[in-house]
Amino acid sequence: MTGSGRREVLEHMWRRFPQHSIILTDPRTREAVLFAERRAAKYGFLKPVEVCSWMTLSVYFGGYFDEDALCPWAEATLQESAGANRDEVMARLFSRMNFETSTFAGPPYSKALLALLPVPFETLLAEDGDLHESLERSLRNWYPEKAAALSQDQWRYLLEASERKAAVYGLPLPAGAIFCMQCMTILGSEFDRDPLYPDAIAVMNSDTAEDPVEKLKNAFDCRQGLIRRHLILDRFRTK
């Protein structure tokens, strides 16, 4: 894609998702555009308008939505329509996106974000008992629409991946796994390596905090700040 094509995608981001672009800042928004361009090109989406559509899907479902087990419909659509016209394939992806978001995006998503904001870090640390039961109970309590939309395979993946991520980053259990589960469901399964969330990448990979609880607290504060800024900007945008 040419420089003018990338500018078109960048303008799409600032016009369609100003809240994300403001938080990212222009340089990091450009990095996210380049990342989306590379991901889209793997499936033959080369035109600026196609990359714009790919960016839209990425913002809703995460930069790795095409391989995310929480979005199996995306990978299935791309594989099943490998030889089809790219416009038709993107139309199928958007049709499924609209169906998926109708069950848990919009007001339910904002409600879930608002539910996370007032919960103090100490409450997260106080979780105990069986790990997977704690994870499932947590999601059903604060994001019931998302919980209801998950298949058994998706539940299994979410529970196992949350525990695995907590272990990889040295976060205490069960609090660290619950935190990762929350981030996966609101930001995408690969939030910890997604260019759309560079602050999350930095704090999860940071070695400055020797204490696992302190590292989790830093990650928790980073996520709360991200949620707070998104909600403020969303409200500002609708006035």
Side-chain angles (χ1 to χ4, degrees):
M1 194 164 63
T2 65
S4 61
R6 293 192 185 98
R7 283 196 298 274
E8 183 177 331
V9 182
L10 184 65
E11 290 171 0
H12 166 78
M13 274 294 290
W14 278 99
R15 181 175 61 255
R16 180 70 178 80
F17 302 106
Q19 70 277 32
H20 284 75
S21 302
I22 291 171
I23 292 171
L24 280 170
T25 71
D26 188 70
R28 297 197 297 190
T29 301
R30 292 175 184 271
E31 291 176 10
V33 167
L34 289 173
F35 177 77
E37 178 186 350
R38 292 193 296 270
R39 300 291 296 185
K42 289 172 51 180
Y43 304 99
F45 296 109
L46 306 175
K47 301 175 184 177
V49 66
E50 295 170 343
V51 181
C52 286
S53 296
W54 192 273
M55 283 292 329
T56 296
L57 287 158
S58 297
V59 171
Y60 279 117
F61 299 103
Y64 290 88
F65 73 89
D66 54 309
E67 61 181 52
D68 191 339
L70 295 182
C71 304
W73 52 270
E75 184 176 10
T77 300
L78 290 165
Q79 290 181 350
E80 292 167 0
S81 54
N85 176 277
R86 294 298 87 184
D87 289 341
E88 295 177 3
V89 178
M90 189 58 72
R92 293 175 196 170
L93 286 171
F94 263 67
S95 176
R96 187 56 188 262
M97 177 189 76
N98 291 331
F99 171 78
E100 292 290 324
T101 56
S102 66
T103 61
F104 56 82
Y109 181 79
S110 296
K111 185 176 70 174
L113 296 183
L114 286 167
L116 285 177
L117 270 184
V119 179
F121 179 65
E122 290 71 23
T123 299
L124 186 64
L125 286 181
E127 290 282 353
D128 58 12
D130 180 81
L131 176 59
H132 286 186
E133 287 182 2
S134 296
L135 286 166
E136 185 171 345
R137 182 174 62 251
S138 174
L139 184 59
R140 292 191 186 282
N141 284 342
W142 69 270
Y143 202 171
E145 294 85 0
K146 183 74 171 182
L150 296 177
S151 67
Q152 288 187 345
D153 287 342
Q154 289 174 313
W155 267 113
R156 187 178 305 108
Y157 165 76
L158 181 60
L159 299 178
E160 293 175 353
S162 299
E163 182 179 5
R164 183 172 61 252
K165 284 182 186 291
V168 166
Y169 294 108
L171 302 178
L173 296 175
I178 293 174
F179 170 81
C180 289
M181 178 269 293
Q182 292 170 343
C183 290
M184 289 174 67
T185 51
I186 63 175
L187 304 177
S189 288
E190 302 304 320
F191 72 95
D192 50 322
R193 62 187 181 113
D194 192 336
L196 286 169
Y197 304 105
D199 291 342
I201 295 175
V203 73
M204 294 293 281
N205 287 280
S206 174
D207 293 326
T208 56
E210 296 182 1
D211 180 4
V213 174
E214 181 184 353
K215 181 173 183 177
L216 179 59
K217 179 63 163 60
N218 293 340
F220 178 87
D221 289 343
C222 175
R223 188 200 64 192
Q224 297 300 88
L226 176 66
I227 292 174
R228 193 173 294 109
R229 291 196 299 271
H230 272 301
L231 288 171
I232 291 172
L233 289 166
D234 281 341
R235 283 199 293 271
F236 173 78
R237 188 182 177 200
T238 57
K239 287 181 180 179

Short mmCIF file of all heavy atoms in Angstrom, two decimals, residues 72-118:
data_model
loop_
_atom_site.label_atom_id
_atom_site.label_comp_id
_atom_site.label_asym_id
_atom_site.label_seq_id
_atom_site.Cartn_x
_atom_site.Cartn_y
_atom_site.Cartn_z
N PRO A 72 -14.01 -17.18 16.66
CA PRO A 72 -13.79 -18.26 15.69
C PRO A 72 -14.44 -18.01 14.34
O PRO A 72 -13.99 -18.52 13.32
CB PRO A 72 -14.38 -19.48 16.39
CG PRO A 72 -15.40 -18.92 17.35
CD PRO A 72 -14.80 -17.62 17.83
N TRP A 73 -15.48 -17.20 14.34
CA TRP A 73 -16.18 -16.89 13.10
C TRP A 73 -15.29 -16.16 12.11
O TRP A 73 -15.43 -16.33 10.89
CB TRP A 73 -17.42 -16.04 13.39
CG TRP A 73 -17.12 -14.82 14.22
CD1 TRP A 73 -17.14 -14.73 15.59
CD2 TRP A 73 -16.71 -13.54 13.74
NE1 TRP A 73 -16.79 -13.45 15.98
CE2 TRP A 73 -16.52 -12.70 14.87
CE3 TRP A 73 -16.51 -12.99 12.47
CZ2 TRP A 73 -16.13 -11.37 14.77
CZ3 TRP A 73 -16.12 -11.66 12.36
CH2 TRP A 73 -15.93 -10.87 13.50
N ALA A 74 -14.34 -15.35 12.62
CA ALA A 74 -13.45 -14.58 11.73
C ALA A 74 -12.50 -15.51 11.00
O ALA A 74 -12.38 -15.45 9.76
CB ALA A 74 -12.68 -13.55 12.54
N GLU A 75 -11.82 -16.38 11.75
CA GLU A 75 -10.90 -17.31 11.11
C GLU A 75 -11.64 -18.24 10.16
O GLU A 75 -11.16 -18.53 9.05
CB GLU A 75 -10.17 -18.13 12.17
CG GLU A 75 -9.12 -19.07 11.61
CD GLU A 75 -8.34 -19.80 12.68
OE1 GLU A 75 -8.73 -19.73 13.86
OE2 GLU A 75 -7.33 -20.45 12.34
N ALA A 76 -12.81 -18.71 10.57
CA ALA A 76 -13.59 -19.61 9.72
C ALA A 76 -14.00 -18.93 8.43
O ALA A 76 -13.91 -19.52 7.34
CB ALA A 76 -14.83 -20.10 10.48
N THR A 77 -14.45 -17.70 8.52
CA THR A 77 -14.87 -16.95 7.32
C THR A 77 -13.70 -16.77 6.36
O THR A 77 -13.84 -16.94 5.15
CB THR A 77 -15.44 -15.58 7.71
OG1 THR A 77 -16.58 -15.76 8.55
CG2 THR A 77 -15.84 -14.78 6.47
N LEU A 78 -12.55 -16.43 6.91
CA LEU A 78 -11.37 -16.20 6.07
C LEU A 78 -10.90 -17.48 5.40
O LEU A 78 -10.48 -17.47 4.24
CB LEU A 78 -10.24 -15.58 6.91
CG LEU A 78 -10.49 -14.14 7.36
CD1 LEU A 78 -9.52 -13.75 8.46
CD2 LEU A 78 -10.37 -13.18 6.18
N GLN A 79 -10.97 -18.59 6.11
CA GLN A 79 -10.52 -19.87 5.54
C GLN A 79 -11.52 -20.40 4.52
O GLN A 79 -11.12 -20.88 3.46
CB GLN A 79 -10.31 -20.89 6.66
CG GLN A 79 -9.11 -20.60 7.55
CD GLN A 79 -8.92 -21.64 8.63
OE1 GLN A 79 -9.78 -22.50 8.85
NE2 GLN A 79 -7.79 -21.60 9.32
N GLU A 80 -12.79 -20.30 4.84
CA GLU A 80 -13.81 -20.84 3.95
C GLU A 80 -13.92 -20.06 2.64
O GLU A 80 -14.36 -20.61 1.63
CB GLU A 80 -15.17 -20.83 4.66
CG GLU A 80 -15.26 -21.79 5.83
CD GLU A 80 -16.48 -21.54 6.68
OE1 GLU A 80 -17.26 -20.61 6.34
OE2 GLU A 80 -16.67 -22.24 7.69
N SER A 81 -13.54 -18.80 2.66
CA SER A 81 -13.70 -17.95 1.48
C SER A 81 -12.35 -17.51 0.92
O SER A 81 -12.21 -16.41 0.40
CB SER A 81 -14.54 -16.72 1.83
OG SER A 81 -14.00 -16.05 2.96
N ALA A 82 -11.35 -18.39 1.02
CA ALA A 82 -10.00 -18.04 0.60
C ALA A 82 -9.94 -17.60 -0.87
O ALA A 82 -9.18 -16.70 -1.23
CB ALA A 82 -9.06 -19.21 0.83
N GLY A 83 -10.73 -18.21 -1.73
CA GLY A 83 -10.66 -17.88 -3.15
C GLY A 83 -11.73 -16.93 -3.62
O GLY A 83 -11.84 -16.64 -4.81
N ALA A 84 -12.53 -16.42 -2.70
CA ALA A 84 -13.65 -15.56 -3.08
C ALA A 84 -13.20 -14.12 -3.29
O ALA A 84 -12.11 -13.72 -2.88
CB ALA A 84 -14.72 -15.61 -2.00
N ASN A 85 -14.07 -13.36 -3.93
CA ASN A 85 -13.82 -11.94 -4.14
C ASN A 85 -13.65 -11.25 -2.79
O ASN A 85 -14.41 -11.49 -1.85
CB ASN A 85 -15.00 -11.34 -4.89
CG ASN A 85 -14.90 -9.85 -5.08
OD1 ASN A 85 -15.24 -9.08 -4.19
ND2 ASN A 85 -14.41 -9.44 -6.24
N ARG A 86 -12.63 -10.38 -2.70
CA ARG A 86 -12.31 -9.76 -1.41
C ARG A 86 -13.45 -8.88 -0.88
O ARG A 86 -13.68 -8.81 0.33
CB ARG A 86 -11.03 -8.93 -1.51
CG ARG A 86 -9.75 -9.73 -1.80
CD ARG A 86 -9.44 -10.74 -0.69
NE ARG A 86 -10.12 -12.02 -0.89
CZ ARG A 86 -10.07 -13.03 -0.03
NH1 ARG A 86 -9.40 -12.88 1.10
NH2 ARG A 86 -10.69 -14.16 -0.28
N ASP A 87 -14.15 -8.22 -1.77
CA ASP A 87 -15.29 -7.40 -1.33
C ASP A 87 -16.36 -8.27 -0.68
O ASP A 87 -16.95 -7.90 0.33
CB ASP A 87 -15.90 -6.64 -2.51
CG ASP A 87 -14.99 -5.53 -3.01
OD1 ASP A 87 -14.10 -5.10 -2.25
OD2 ASP A 87 -15.18 -5.09 -4.16
N GLU A 88 -16.60 -9.44 -1.27
CA GLU A 88 -17.60 -10.35 -0.72
C GLU A 88 -17.17 -10.89 0.64
O GLU A 88 -17.99 -11.03 1.56
CB GLU A 88 -17.83 -11.52 -1.69
CG GLU A 88 -18.44 -11.11 -3.02
CD GLU A 88 -18.57 -12.28 -3.98
OE1 GLU A 88 -18.23 -13.42 -3.56
OE2 GLU A 88 -19.00 -12.07 -5.12
N VAL A 89 -15.88 -11.19 0.76
CA VAL A 89 -15.37 -11.72 2.03
C VAL A 89 -15.49 -10.67 3.13
O VAL A 89 -15.93 -10.97 4.25
CB VAL A 89 -13.90 -12.16 1.88
CG1 VAL A 89 -13.36 -12.66 3.23
CG2 VAL A 89 -13.78 -13.26 0.83
N MET A 90 -15.13 -9.43 2.81
CA MET A 90 -15.23 -8.37 3.81
C MET A 90 -16.68 -8.13 4.19
O MET A 90 -16.99 -7.87 5.37
CB MET A 90 -14.59 -7.08 3.29
CG MET A 90 -14.45 -5.99 4.34
SD MET A 90 -13.47 -6.50 5.80
CE MET A 90 -11.81 -6.55 5.11
N ALA A 91 -17.58 -8.25 3.23
CA ALA A 91 -19.00 -8.10 3.53
C ALA A 91 -19.45 -9.18 4.50
O ALA A 91 -20.26 -8.93 5.41
CB ALA A 91 -19.82 -8.14 2.25
N ARG A 92 -18.96 -10.40 4.31
CA ARG A 92 -19.30 -11.50 5.22
C ARG A 92 -18.76 -11.23 6.63
O ARG A 92 -19.44 -11.48 7.63
CB ARG A 92 -18.73 -12.82 4.70
CG ARG A 92 -19.36 -13.30 3.40
CD ARG A 92 -18.65 -14.55 2.90
NE ARG A 92 -18.97 -14.81 1.50
CZ ARG A 92 -18.35 -15.72 0.75
NH1 ARG A 92 -17.39 -16.46 1.29
NH2 ARG A 92 -18.69 -15.90 -0.51
N LEU A 93 -17.53 -10.74 6.69
CA LEU A 93 -16.94 -10.43 7.99
C LEU A 93 -17.74 -9.34 8.71
O LEU A 93 -18.00 -9.45 9.91
CB LEU A 93 -15.49 -9.97 7.81
CG LEU A 93 -14.46 -11.05 7.47
CD1 LEU A 93 -13.12 -10.41 7.12
CD2 LEU A 93 -14.29 -12.04 8.62
N PHE A 94 -18.14 -8.31 7.97
CA PHE A 94 -18.89 -7.22 8.59
C PHE A 94 -20.29 -7.68 8.99
O PHE A 94 -20.83 -7.24 10.01
CB PHE A 94 -18.97 -6.03 7.63
CG PHE A 94 -17.92 -4.99 7.91
CD1 PHE A 94 -16.59 -5.26 7.70
CD2 PHE A 94 -18.26 -3.75 8.44
CE1 PHE A 94 -15.61 -4.34 7.96
CE2 PHE A 94 -17.29 -2.81 8.72
CZ PHE A 94 -15.97 -3.10 8.48
N SER A 95 -20.89 -8.56 8.20
CA SER A 95 -22.20 -9.08 8.55
C SER A 95 -22.13 -9.85 9.86
O SER A 95 -22.97 -9.68 10.75
CB SER A 95 -22.72 -10.00 7.44
OG SER A 95 -23.95 -10.59 7.80
N ARG A 96 -21.09 -10.68 10.00
CA ARG A 96 -20.94 -11.44 11.24
C ARG A 96 -20.55 -10.52 12.40
O ARG A 96 -20.98 -10.71 13.54
CB ARG A 96 -19.89 -12.53 11.06
CG ARG A 96 -19.79 -13.48 12.25
CD ARG A 96 -21.15 -14.11 12.57
NE ARG A 96 -21.11 -14.86 13.80
CZ ARG A 96 -20.96 -16.18 13.88
NH1 ARG A 96 -20.82 -16.89 12.76
NH2 ARG A 96 -20.94 -16.79 15.04
N MET A 97 -19.74 -9.50 12.11
CA MET A 97 -19.37 -8.53 13.14
C MET A 97 -20.62 -7.87 13.71
O MET A 97 -20.75 -7.74 14.94
CB MET A 97 -18.44 -7.46 12.56
CG MET A 97 -18.06 -6.37 13.55
SD MET A 97 -17.19 -4.96 12.78
CE MET A 97 -18.56 -4.12 11.99
N ASN A 98 -21.53 -7.47 12.85
CA ASN A 98 -22.76 -6.82 13.31
C ASN A 98 -23.60 -7.77 14.17
O ASN A 98 -24.20 -7.36 15.16
CB ASN A 98 -23.57 -6.33 12.11
CG ASN A 98 -22.90 -5.18 11.40
OD1 ASN A 98 -22.17 -4.41 12.00
ND2 ASN A 98 -23.14 -5.06 10.10
N PHE A 99 -23.62 -9.03 13.77
CA PHE A 99 -24.36 -10.02 14.56
C PHE A 99 -23.73 -10.21 15.93
O PHE A 99 -24.42 -10.24 16.95
CB PHE A 99 -24.40 -11.35 13.81
CG PHE A 99 -24.95 -12.48 14.63
CD1 PHE A 99 -26.31 -12.62 14.84
CD2 PHE A 99 -24.08 -13.41 15.21
CE1 PHE A 99 -26.81 -13.67 15.60
CE2 PHE A 99 -24.58 -14.45 15.98
CZ PHE A 99 -25.94 -14.58 16.18
N GLU A 100 -22.40 -10.34 15.95
CA GLU A 100 -21.69 -10.57 17.21
C GLU A 100 -21.83 -9.37 18.15
O GLU A 100 -22.11 -9.53 19.34
CB GLU A 100 -20.21 -10.83 16.92
CG GLU A 100 -19.92 -12.13 16.21
CD GLU A 100 -20.17 -13.35 17.09
OE1 GLU A 100 -19.89 -13.27 18.30
OE2 GLU A 100 -20.63 -14.37 16.56
N THR A 101 -21.64 -8.18 17.63
CA THR A 101 -21.67 -7.00 18.50
C THR A 101 -23.07 -6.68 18.98
O THR A 101 -23.23 -6.02 20.02
CB THR A 101 -21.10 -5.78 17.76
OG1 THR A 101 -21.83 -5.55 16.54
CG2 THR A 101 -19.63 -5.96 17.44
N SER A 102 -24.08 -7.16 18.27
CA SER A 102 -25.45 -6.86 18.70
C SER A 102 -25.79 -7.52 20.03
O SER A 102 -26.70 -7.08 20.73
CB SER A 102 -26.45 -7.33 17.64
OG SER A 102 -26.45 -8.75 17.53
N THR A 103 -25.03 -8.57 20.41
CA THR A 103 -25.33 -9.28 21.65
C THR A 103 -24.57 -8.76 22.85
O THR A 103 -25.04 -8.90 23.98
CB THR A 103 -25.03 -10.78 21.49
OG1 THR A 103 -23.63 -10.95 21.19
CG2 THR A 103 -25.87 -11.39 20.39
N PHE A 104 -23.38 -8.17 22.62
CA PHE A 104 -22.61 -7.76 23.80
C PHE A 104 -21.85 -6.45 23.63
O PHE A 104 -21.18 -6.00 24.56
CB PHE A 104 -21.61 -8.85 24.20
CG PHE A 104 -20.65 -9.26 23.11
CD1 PHE A 104 -19.51 -8.53 22.85
CD2 PHE A 104 -20.90 -10.39 22.36
CE1 PHE A 104 -18.65 -8.91 21.84
CE2 PHE A 104 -20.03 -10.79 21.35
CZ PHE A 104 -18.89 -10.04 21.10
N ALA A 105 -21.94 -5.80 22.48
CA ALA A 105 -21.28 -4.51 22.30
C ALA A 105 -22.26 -3.38 22.58
O ALA A 105 -23.39 -3.61 23.00
CB ALA A 105 -20.70 -4.39 20.89
N GLY A 106 -21.83 -2.16 22.34
CA GLY A 106 -22.70 -1.02 22.59
C GLY A 106 -22.93 -0.81 24.07
O GLY A 106 -22.00 -0.88 24.87
N PRO A 107 -24.18 -0.56 24.48
CA PRO A 107 -24.48 -0.31 25.90
C PRO A 107 -23.98 -1.41 26.84
O PRO A 107 -23.44 -1.09 27.91
CB PRO A 107 -26.01 -0.20 25.91
CG PRO A 107 -26.35 0.32 24.55
CD PRO A 107 -25.37 -0.36 23.63
N PRO A 108 -24.12 -2.71 26.51
CA PRO A 108 -23.59 -3.73 27.42
C PRO A 108 -22.08 -3.60 27.63
O PRO A 108 -21.58 -3.82 28.74
CB PRO A 108 -23.95 -5.05 26.73
CG PRO A 108 -25.14 -4.72 25.90
CD PRO A 108 -24.88 -3.32 25.40
N TYR A 109 -21.36 -3.24 26.56
CA TYR A 109 -19.90 -3.08 26.67
C TYR A 109 -19.57 -1.91 27.58
O TYR A 109 -18.72 -2.02 28.48
CB TYR A 109 -19.31 -2.86 25.28
CG TYR A 109 -17.81 -2.69 25.25
CD1 TYR A 109 -16.97 -3.80 25.33
CD2 TYR A 109 -17.23 -1.42 25.13
CE1 TYR A 109 -15.59 -3.66 25.29
CE2 TYR A 109 -15.86 -1.27 25.09
CZ TYR A 109 -15.04 -2.39 25.17
OH TYR A 109 -13.68 -2.24 25.13
N SER A 110 -20.23 -0.79 27.38
CA SER A 110 -20.00 0.37 28.24
C SER A 110 -20.37 0.07 29.68
O SER A 110 -19.69 0.49 30.62
CB SER A 110 -20.82 1.57 27.73
OG SER A 110 -20.38 1.98 26.45
N LYS A 111 -21.46 -0.69 29.86
CA LYS A 111 -21.88 -1.07 31.20
C LYS A 111 -20.82 -1.94 31.87
O LYS A 111 -20.55 -1.81 33.07
CB LYS A 111 -23.22 -1.81 31.14
CG LYS A 111 -23.80 -2.14 32.52
CD LYS A 111 -25.17 -2.79 32.41
CE LYS A 111 -25.06 -4.20 31.84
NZ LYS A 111 -26.36 -4.92 31.84
N ALA A 112 -20.21 -2.84 31.08
CA ALA A 112 -19.16 -3.71 31.62
C ALA A 112 -17.94 -2.89 32.03
O ALA A 112 -17.33 -3.14 33.07
CB ALA A 112 -18.78 -4.77 30.59
N LEU A 113 -17.57 -1.90 31.21
CA LEU A 113 -16.44 -1.04 31.55
C LEU A 113 -16.74 -0.26 32.83
O LEU A 113 -15.88 -0.13 33.72
CB LEU A 113 -16.15 -0.07 30.40
CG LEU A 113 -15.68 -0.68 29.08
CD1 LEU A 113 -15.35 0.43 28.08
CD2 LEU A 113 -14.47 -1.58 29.27
N LEU A 114 -17.95 0.28 32.91
CA LEU A 114 -18.34 1.03 34.10
C LEU A 114 -18.35 0.14 35.34
O LEU A 114 -18.05 0.61 36.46
CB LEU A 114 -19.72 1.65 33.89
CG LEU A 114 -19.78 2.86 32.95
CD1 LEU A 114 -21.21 3.18 32.59
CD2 LEU A 114 -19.10 4.07 33.59
N ALA A 115 -18.67 -1.15 35.16
CA ALA A 115 -18.69 -2.06 36.30
C ALA A 115 -17.29 -2.33 36.83
O ALA A 115 -17.10 -2.59 38.02
CB ALA A 115 -19.35 -3.38 35.89
N LEU A 116 -16.28 -2.25 35.96
CA LEU A 116 -14.91 -2.51 36.39
C LEU A 116 -14.29 -1.31 37.11
O LEU A 116 -13.42 -1.49 37.97
CB LEU A 116 -14.03 -2.85 35.18
CG LEU A 116 -14.20 -4.23 34.57
CD1 LEU A 116 -13.31 -4.38 33.34
CD2 LEU A 116 -13.87 -5.32 35.58
N LEU A 117 -14.72 -0.11 36.76
CA LEU A 117 -14.05 1.09 37.28
C LEU A 117 -14.07 1.22 38.80
O LEU A 117 -13.04 1.50 39.40
CB LEU A 117 -14.65 2.35 36.64
CG LEU A 117 -14.01 2.83 35.35
CD1 LEU A 117 -14.65 4.13 34.90
CD2 LEU A 117 -12.51 3.00 35.50
N PRO A 118 -15.20 1.05 39.47
CA PRO A 118 -15.22 1.29 40.91
C PRO A 118 -14.67 0.15 41.76
O PRO A 118 -14.52 0.29 42.98
CB PRO A 118 -16.71 1.50 41.20
CG PRO A 118 -17.39 0.66 40.19
CD PRO A 118 -16.55 0.75 38.95
#
